[in-house]
Amino acid sequence: NAGVTQTPKFRVLKTGQSMTLLCAQDMNHEYMYWYRQDPGMGLRLIHYSVGEGTTAKGEVPDGYNVSRLKKQNFLLGLESAAPSQTSVYFCATDHRDEQYFGPGTRLTVT
Amino acid sequence: KQEVTQIPAALSVPEGENLVLNCSFTDSAIYNLQWFRQDPGKGLTSLLLIQSSQREQTSGRLNASLDKSSGRSTLYIAASQPGDSATYLCAVKVGDKIIFGKGTRLHILP
């Protein structure tokens, strides 16, 4: 039982490049979230999903897209990366009101 | 708009002391409140979850209280240890969204 895993752990992108962050969970949880964490800003919600095939915008959705084609996976896409998207990205699931976090992806956009 | 504030931003105390971390939120219409721990470079680990109908939760040396009417929660750590050094975050659930405070960085001095 791996819990919540995130791929990749680290990535460096150049401005304008695209990439997809993968979040996978083996706990059969319905709710999944993507956050970004920046110094002095705390954790901010980007997008979330309340079940397979559903997505919704969070607090800071601009510049990101998401998909939840399978219940166990929640993908976060950056179509054209910008330096402002340099951050640590966390995925989380929610089960019975308790959140479970992945280890994070550290993304640098140069 | 719900806002979550944690004071102080950083705290250093000698080993063995009891301490209190504070969390306040602006809108009392929350579903629950959760306290997390985050070690440097790691994801978040859930410590305590308090439902809106509850007043407190305890786990080992940790006790969290919730006063929804005044928009406040406290995390009490008894007999602090160097291993308690970490950042502690509180978060409130409003609808499907979780809103985080910026955290209190705790350093326990040996």
Side-chain angles (χ1 to χ4, degrees):
Chain A
N1 187 336
V4 181
T5 58
Q6 292 184 233
T7 308
K9 290 185 170 52
F10 304 93
R11 185 73 185 268
V12 178
L13 285 180
K14 293 185 177 178
T15 297
Q17 287 185 320
S18 64
M19 78 164 294
T20 299
L21 282 67
L22 170 64
C23 176
Q25 55 112 349
D26 60 3
M27 299 176 286
N28 204 35
H29 293 173
E30 292 290 342
Y31 285 49
M32 296 186 76
Y33 302 82
W34 274 109
Y35 296 92
R36 60 177 291 173
Q37 187 176 37
D38 303 289
M41 300 295 292
L43 274 154
R44 293 180 290 171
L45 182 63
I46 305 172
H47 286 280
Y48 65 101
S49 169
V50 300
E52 180 179 315
T54 75
T55 63
K57 293 180 180 180
E59 182 184 355
V60 289
D62 294 342
Y64 305 95
N65 57 75
V66 288
S67 64
R68 183 95 181 270
L69 299 178
K70 294 182 179 180
K71 187 177 184 178
Q72 63 267 35
N73 296 336
F74 195 27
L75 278 64
L76 178 70
L78 287 73
E79 290 188 348
S80 180
S84 61
Q85 294 178 305
T86 293
S87 187
V88 181
Y89 292 85
F90 287 101
C91 174
T93 67
D94 188 308
H95 181 64
R96 294 183 180 176
D97 298 327
E98 193 161 351
Q99 290 219 313
Y100 300 82
F101 277 79
T105 294
R106 187 174 295 275
L107 175 66
T108 301
V109 183
T110 62
Chain B
K1 178 184 175 185
Q2 177 74 265
E3 292 184 1
V4 180
T5 303
Q6 292 186 247
I7 295 174
L11 180 65
S12 293
V13 299
E15 179 179 1
E17 282 199 4
N18 303 324
L19 60 99
V20 174
L21 306 181
N22 297 295
C23 172
S24 62
F25 45 96
T26 54
D27 187 345
S28 62
I30 64 170
Y31 188 66
N32 62 45
L33 183 143
Q34 197 163 351
W35 282 93
F36 294 86
R37 170 186 173 134
Q38 185 177 27
D39 293 293
K42 304 291 186 182
L44 280 69
T45 300
S46 177
L47 296 173
L48 290 164
L49 170 68
I50 311 177
Q51 300 293 352
S52 61
S53 59
Q54 297 175 322
R55 299 283 292 185
E56 66 176 346
Q57 284 287 342
T58 298
S59 176
R61 295 183 293 109
L62 305 179
N63 176 278
S65 68
L66 174 64
D67 184 342
K68 210 172 73 160
S69 62
S70 67
R72 292 180 184 177
S73 176
T74 61
L75 178 67
Y76 175 83
I77 302 176
S80 59
Q81 303 170 359
D84 294 330
S85 296
T87 297
Y88 291 81
L89 298 100
C90 74
V92 296
K93 188 169 186 178
V94 180
D96 293 327
K97 298 179 182 178
I98 314 288
I99 300 165
F100 284 82
K102 295 180 181 179
T104 294
R105 191 169 62 254
L106 177 64
H107 184 209
I108 305 300
L109 304 167

